[in-house]
Amino acid sequence: MSHCKHGRIFRVGIPFLLITLCLISSTGFASSDYYNHVIFDNSLTSDAYFNSGVQISGQSFVEEKNHRLPVDKKTFLTPPNAIRLQWQSAPGGGWLAGIRTGDVRNRLPGLSGHNLYLWIFAPEPIAAVDLPRLVLTNAHEDLQAAEFPGSFSEPVDLGKYSGDVPGGRWKQIRIPLGDFRTGSIYPFRPEYVQGVIFHQGRSDNVRHTLIIDEIRVDDDPALGTSLLPPSGVRASGYDRHIEIEWSAVESPALARYVVYRSLDGKTFAPVGIQLPGVQRYEDFLGKSDMRAEYKVAASDWNYQQSAFSNVASASTRDLSDDEMLTMLQRACFHYYWEGAEPNSGMARENIPGDERMVATGASGFGIMALVVGVNRGFITREQGLERITRIVNFLEHANRYHGAWSHFMDGTTGRTMPVFGMLDNGGDLVETSFLVQGLLVARQYFHGPTPAEQSLYGRITALWESVEWNWYRDTPTSDFLYWHWSPEWAFQIHHPLIGFNEVMITYLLSIASPQHGVPATLYYSGWSSQSERALKYRAGWSGTTDGDHYSNGRTYYGIKLDVGVGSGGPLFFTHYSFMGFDPHTLHDRFTKSYFDNNRNIALINRAYCVANPKHFSGYGPDAWGLTASDGPNGYVPHAPDADHDRGTLTPTGALASFPYTPEASMAAFKHYYRDLGDELWDIYGPRDAFDPGAEWVSPIYMGLNQAPIVVMIENYRTGLIWKTFMSNPEIGEMLKKLDQATAQ
């Protein structure tokens, strides 16, 4: 659904492709099946757990915060927090408290295992008969509304499986899923558990408290050998956080790493966990001039820990603005370096998510981020060359459709993954153009005299020249390029590419193609078309006639917009086509400078957030950047207008706008990092999105959103990617052709 970003949310006439995202089975992130089992381990928000809900009736009581279960930050099994369930079951009353699986894009719809496990901690002893009852549900609905139209189980007594709960120590409860019988009119399928519902049991009218942690579905873990401790632990201090790294523990018994911190050099306390396959942890301390010591232990599924690692220490310190930008670029770069799919080297669609799924467009963005990484010294030139060569190896053998790659591919086989439905099983010209933009940057950057670089140059040239851009006109006389073609369905989707949006680069590369190019006049007949079809298209997705003629000319918050629909749309319109292509170099019949036009779109976006007409929490001069991402209720192409503003801020919106709005983008970065970093900063930099009013933080990173931060900051700092892409001779020739078409 993230790739609704590429205009799919705006399409007209194919709603059945847009409504449902096919769920693809996952092997879990980081070579583990962690997300095939875990329902809850930690809350990203520190006040209340977003994926929970509370309902109360009569005189019964459940502690709640905004109708959600509170987070306990003092008592936990998996640091740094757990869920607190405090209740009182009154005669004649009722209550329920639900916890549901997190909203992770492309997460396996089922959970693997035959038992439900949960850990509980009672500050005071609780008799078995006074514990809640438990219901499992296959529905994934709003727990605050307690609406479960899907199947659900009959309640079971928690005390039957726990016995009396002693006070002051953790206890694991194991319930065979086979013990849950259907309580609805539909069969209950325990392997598709989506919600765990605690509800009122015996009405003893006494206040009780349980701390609940690590709810998972699994089989009984095997008794394994003891784990070795992590080795090579090291710590690096930054502006407000410390990064801890270590060498991997190679053992099938490894379930997690546990990170311990000491601020006094004596007492160590657990501060967080990390998954197998990831050997980094970000400890956000929130202040400069803080020194901390760390050690790490390996833990198995039975919570038996290894001995501790060596101790590493570091201190935070105030960084200069330049140092902070390098810190940000390095963090986001890691998504495409250590987070890449290992066989292909391609970028994953999202992390966590389906490990098989690599994204064509995000991989093009990732290639540009890798070039930045080499130039900044995050990796060596040899490492960058090896990785991009691996990507090219994969692309040469992956499924292609008249030269175009599909939107999603299996990173091991190169086969198309039709995520958006049965018609989405062919070539995707927009995703291909994003990929080619990155490949052309790599071709020019790795253009040294060594045989390896010369070989890569030639192989990228062959890939670029074999894309049949003209095929995607549908007919030789068509005025438009079309998004998709499938050998099975041909042009049945038949979605024309009409601007202004993120797909300008598709037209520019189609005109630039030396072997399969299209006439430069297609820029005006298709991309900036004045036809009735184009006018209806623009008005259809935007809900306004402002800019329906491509040109706009209106003023928003005192800022004139030459080109753009409505008040400019999501900010990714100003990023995706302009990561390699330099907007300074382009003018047409509608604007003298696309750099200035993009800057005005960013300024309007910020001004809208300052005005905050819908009165959402958290917006302001240093909190802006409406662009496409998930929100608490799913995907939205967030934009500065009434229809597309839902209260969700996406950091890449402001941070990838650095070339256009450097001062405002830096203010947003410092706010997101220094003020909100405790919830937003993690191993790949700022998390994908957050909604302050809904107390929601995205559980994922997206391949489309971290690379624009890396690349556009570099374009602001040195212009590296713009200069490198524009050095391709075909791009200069394309601009000459476009100037001639403009003059006609």
Side-chain angles (χ1 to χ4, degrees), residues 40 58 285 320 412 431-432 470 563 628 675 713 720 722 737:
F40 170 82
L285 298 176
S320 67
T412 300
E431 292 289 314
T432 295
N470 53 354
V563 169
D675 301 333
I713 288 177
L720 171 71
W722 281 342
K737 294 176 184 178

Side-chain angles (χ1 to χ4, degrees), residues 134-138 151-156 180-184 188:
L134 197 65
V135 169
L136 302 184
T137 174
N138 291 154
S151 58
F152 50 88
S153 74
E154 292 180 342
V156 300
F180 290 95
R181 308 300 180 188
T182 187
S184 75
F188 173 69

Side-chain angles (χ1 to χ4, degrees), residues 149-173:
S151 58
F152 50 88
S153 74
E154 292 180 342
V156 300
D157 293 319
L158 196 60
K160 174 183 175 182
Y161 300 91
S162 67
D164 295 338
V165 179
R169 66 180 177 87
W170 285 98
K171 183 172 187 177
Q172 188 181 46
I173 301 175

Side-chain angles (χ1 to χ4, degrees), residues 651-665:
T652 192
L655 303 185
S657 296
F658 254 97
Y660 312 126
T661 56
E663 294 84 5
S665 293

